[in-house]
Amino acid sequence: MEIKVIPALLCFGLFLIFVLPLGFGIINLGNCAGMGICGMLTLIFIFWGRFGTFIGRCWEKPFGKVILCLIGAFAVIGVILAVVISVLMIRASDDPPKDENTTVVVLGCKVKDGAPSLMLRRRLDAAYDYLSQHESVCAVVSGGKGDDEVISEAQCMKEWLIEKGIAPERIYMEDRSVNTEENLRFSREIISAEGLPDKITLITDSYHQLRAEMIAEKQDIKAYNISGYTSWYLVPTYWVREWFGVVYYKLFG
């Protein structure tokens, strides 16, 4: 039985990286797809000889050829889409404003026991760094209250920033939204009502910036981007999830 050792080990290593977020209670389409694909590739390389024999037998049959061609075409299209979307995600991850004529909008994330989750704290770190260096800029913290949250994400973010030293009058709360589309729509209403600069600087995770920017453009919002730090072991899971998110948004809006 022929075994492709190095590719099998590489795929198994990637499989374990997609498994890691499970230890933090994170399971979504990203790590499910990553575990499925990497697990399947690991088995293919372990049983390479048998896999080659199986493919050869399928190719001998007309219906088998059709299926293999469809699988191959789907795989090629998937890889091309993943590469193109990844390039766009990288380009969108860092586009800070050129001046202080902007309003920061911090997109909400999970609140645990009234405190920001790790990912939300990283967004708040980025917001604090920018706001502390640009004292004329105001911020809208955006996020409603989930069924499993004791306070709204907006309230949690405002309290955190005030505790760090950002003046309360510079922070506006948007606490009705439940998704990115509402984050932006409701935040813009506050920006308009308060006479704040209508050029928005979105603060979220780097992998999320592209889709957030697409949603902003659909609402005729000019958006700059500043990204929070994402732990390395979470990047693959959320990066892959965004592939599906971008495609879904493009297809269904």
Side-chain angles (χ1 to χ4, degrees):
M1 179 179 67
E2 185 181 358
I3 301 175
K4 298 291 184 180
V5 177
I6 294 178
L9 289 175
L10 289 174
C11 290
F12 184 65
L14 286 173
F15 173 82
L16 292 178
I17 290 176
F18 283 108
V19 169
L20 272 176
L22 296 178
F24 300 89
I26 299 171
I27 180 168
N28 57 44
L29 185 56
N31 54 354
C32 287
M35 287 186 293
I37 293 171
C38 293
M40 179 181 64
L41 289 174
T42 300
L43 293 175
I44 286 174
F45 287 121
I46 290 176
F47 301 102
W48 183 255
R50 295 181 183 180
F51 176 72
T53 301
F54 173 75
I55 294 297
R57 290 175 180 173
C58 290
W59 190 256
E60 293 172 356
K61 301 176 182 179
F63 182 71
K65 285 184 179 179
V66 172
I67 296 299
L68 289 176
C69 287
L70 288 175
I71 293 173
F74 181 79
V76 170
I77 292 171
V79 170
I80 292 173
L81 278 175
V83 171
V84 171
I85 293 172
S86 292
V87 170
L88 294 175
M89 288 169 65
I90 292 170
R91 290 178 60 185
S93 65
D94 185 28
D95 179 27
K98 306 301 185 293
D99 53 45
E100 296 192 359
N101 183 33
T102 186
T103 302
V104 165
V105 174
V106 189
L107 301 185
C109 192
K110 187 72 174 176
V111 169
K112 296 182 177 180
D113 300 323
S117 61
L118 174 61
M119 297 181 72
L120 181 56
R121 194 164 68 247
R122 296 285 168 73
R123 297 181 187 185
L124 289 170
D125 285 337
Y128 171 76
D129 288 343
Y130 184 80
L131 292 171
S132 61
Q133 294 170 22
H134 303 83
E135 296 184 356
S136 68
V137 176
C138 294
V140 177
V141 288
S142 178
K145 178 180 175 298
D147 293 336
D148 57 347
E149 295 174 326
V150 296
I151 59 173
S152 71
E153 295 166 5
Q155 182 180 346
C156 176
M157 289 189 282
K158 182 172 183 177
E159 291 176 356
W160 191 94
L161 288 170
I162 291 173
E163 184 179 331
K164 291 293 182 179
I166 303 300
E169 59 269 20
R170 296 175 62 194
I171 307 169
Y172 298 82
M173 285 202 309
E174 182 291 294
D175 57 4
R176 296 182 292 156
S177 57
V178 297
N179 54 43
T180 304
E181 189 275 332
E182 291 185 355
N183 285 146
L184 294 169
R185 177 155 51 90
F186 297 154
S187 293
R188 184 166 66 170
E189 291 176 1
I190 292 174
I191 289 169
S192 178
E194 297 294 336
L196 300 173
D198 57 5
K199 291 182 180 179
I200 289 176
T201 297
L202 293 174
I203 296 186
T204 183
D205 299 280
S206 58
Y207 59 80
H208 186 224
Q209 291 284 15
L210 174 63
R211 187 155 55 95
E213 191 174 83
M214 291 165 58
I215 295 170
E217 287 177 357
K218 191 171 182 179
Q219 298 185 33
D220 296 322
I221 296 173
K222 168 61 179 175
Y224 297 99
N225 303 317
I226 295 175
S227 296
Y229 172 78
T230 304
S231 300
W232 67 269
Y233 54 85
L234 297 178
V235 171
T237 286
Y238 284 101
W239 198 273
V240 172
R241 189 187 71 167
E242 280 301 302
W243 292 345
F244 293 99
V246 169
V247 171
Y248 182 87
Y249 185 76
K250 272 295 186 182
L251 292 177
F252 304 107

